[in-house]
Amino acid sequence: NYFFIEALEKTGDITHAKVLRDKTIEMIGSQDEIYEYFNSMIGEGRGATSYGWTAACFIDLLIKKASGKIALD
């Protein structure tokens, strides 16, 4: 989702970028673990747990949301 958020922002679709960012934060944050990937239909975490790339993207999205940004910068 991170790359889609970035692409939406780059093409000027800020509304959808923010919606996807917020839903991604909610999906990852609702799990007991940080998973490698998620079921796109139900948002359930799958694959490896304590996955570094997912954690990094999650933290980055949280920081950017708190600072009023979307994904870029």
Side-chain angles (χ1 to χ4, degrees):
N1 285 3
Y2 190 87
F3 293 119
F4 286 113
I5 295 165
E6 203 172 269
L8 287 166
E9 184 179 7
K10 282 185 178 183
T11 60
D13 194 347
I14 304 304
T15 301
H16 285 110
K18 286 181 179 179
V19 167
L20 184 55
R21 177 202 62 199
D22 293 345
K23 286 185 176 189
T24 301
I25 289 170
E26 181 182 335
M27 178 183 62
I28 297 170
S30 70
Q31 305 294 310
D32 292 334
E33 297 275 349
I34 300 289
Y35 287 93
E36 180 179 3
Y37 60 96
F38 296 83
N39 179 307
S40 63
M41 300 302 288
I42 61 173
E44 182 180 86
R46 302 281 173 93
T49 58
S50 302
Y51 202 71
W53 286 110
T54 303
C57 289
F58 181 60
I59 292 167
D60 189 56
L61 290 175
L62 286 172
I63 290 169
K64 289 183 174 156
K65 181 177 181 177
S67 66
K69 298 176 182 173
I70 300 169
L72 302 175
D73 295 326

